[in-house]
Amino acid sequence: MIVAIHQPQYMPWLGYLDKMDKADVFCFLDNVQFKKNEWQNRNRLRTKEGWQWITVPVFHDFGQKIMDVRINGAIPWGKKHCRMITQYYSRAPFYREFAPVFEDLLGRPWELLSQLNMAVAETLAQNLSITTRLVKASDMELPDSPTERLIGICRELGADTYLAGRDGANYMDLELFRRAEIRVLFQDFRHPEYAQAYPGFVPALSAADLLFCCGPEGMERVRGLNPPLSGSRGQL
């Protein structure tokens, strides 16, 4: 069984969804340190000029875990993000179908960033026909060491294979995985091109861009370049 693990991100990009799609279980790593203004509270949408940040305002203290980061509810960020989606995607083929989904989701009174991020990721996955089981690390008793934490999640979920990011070897102790008899695979994501809301193609945007432009079948464009891994859901 393949497990993938990643910090919860806001409006995650296609590489994130591809990792989720390739795994049998995807674990949100919500019990590690929050990093402001990376991908945990912001992402990018397509504009006529190129791209634009879409950011969730948060309160945080240095060293705070992602699961404890609170959203600044005094700022009407949800309404702003919905207006941005309308502004940038109103002419996209699947805007009318999915705009109400985001209006409902972003209109809720979210307090914790991790809960928002997991809900958005789950919504994107469901609407892009990804059926991977989703769990969160904070529900588990895990070691503090980064590599041992990953191994602990794999053991908790009964995994024999861990799908790491492309640069995972730079921070993981692969010898510990070998001793734990857990195979490590590295994601080699290839980004598909598709017709966006404006001429030209800009990669590495939120996966919402694919949903608005290509609809529920959009993930097939990703799978066409990134086939299932050996052992995933019994596929060889």
Side-chain angles (χ1 to χ4, degrees):
M1 185 181 73
I2 299 174
V3 162
I5 303 168
H6 209 294
Q7 298 92 337
Q9 295 183 348
Y10 182 60
M11 292 278 192
W13 78 302
L14 285 180
Y16 193 102
L17 272 290
D18 172 66
K19 183 186 280 190
M20 185 183 292
D21 191 46
K22 281 184 165 61
D24 297 291
V25 184
F26 182 91
C27 180
F28 293 107
L29 192 62
D30 61 338
N31 55 358
V32 296
Q33 183 175 334
F34 171 72
K35 296 181 179 180
K36 187 179 180 181
N37 290 334
E38 289 197 359
W39 301 104
Q40 292 161 18
N41 70 313
R42 67 176 185 171
N43 222 296
R44 308 189 307 164
L45 299 179
R46 181 74 157 92
T47 70
K48 185 176 181 180
E49 293 75 25
W51 56 266
Q52 176 65 50
W53 287 114
I54 183 169
T55 305
V56 179
V58 297
F59 300 111
H60 81 290
D61 299 316
F62 179 77
Q64 191 173 30
K65 293 181 179 180
I66 299 171
M67 64 183 184
D68 297 323
V69 173
R70 304 188 73 81
I71 296 172
N72 185 351
I75 299 175
W77 62 272
K79 292 181 179 179
K80 178 181 179 181
H81 291 188
C82 287
R83 287 197 301 269
M84 293 172 72
I85 287 172
T86 297
Q87 178 182 353
Y88 302 145
Y89 292 102
S90 59
R91 296 185 180 181
F94 293 90
Y95 169 78
R96 290 184 179 273
E97 182 174 349
F98 293 108
V101 174
F102 286 93
E103 289 172 1
D104 172 69
L105 188 63
L106 303 182
R108 300 176 193 174
W110 297 102
E111 295 184 0
L112 294 175
L113 178 67
S114 61
Q115 293 179 351
L116 166 67
N117 288 359
M118 289 186 288
V120 171
E122 183 175 7
T123 296
L124 286 169
Q126 289 175 344
N127 286 287
L128 287 169
S129 303
I130 297 173
T131 59
T132 302
R133 177 188 168 204
L134 306 178
V135 300
K136 57 182 179 178
S138 59
D139 287 336
M140 309 175 194
E141 294 290 335
L142 301 168
D144 291 329
S145 167
T147 295
E148 291 179 349
R149 182 188 296 117
L150 299 177
I151 292 173
I153 293 171
C154 290
R155 284 174 168 165
E156 182 80 16
L157 298 172
D160 56 18
T161 302
Y162 171 56
L163 174 60
R166 179 177 296 176
D167 299 323
N170 295 334
Y171 62 85
M172 296 189 316
D173 186 337
L174 297 179
E175 176 61 19
L176 291 182
F177 276 94
R178 187 191 67 79
R179 294 176 187 173
E181 299 184 342
I182 297 174
R183 178 177 62 154
V184 178
L185 300 177
F186 295 95
Q187 184 186 29
D188 184 19
F189 178 67
R190 299 180 182 182
H191 203 301
E193 291 193 13
Y194 53 89
Q196 293 179 322
Y198 305 96
F201 182 75
V202 177
L205 303 173
S206 166
D209 185 82
L210 179 74
L211 186 61
F212 283 123
C213 295
C214 300
E217 302 303 318
M219 201 65 194
E220 292 305 319
R221 295 173 180 266
V222 177
R223 293 170 181 145
L225 295 177
N226 302 274
L229 298 172
S230 174
S232 179
R233 297 184 179 85
Q235 299 180 32
L236 300 178

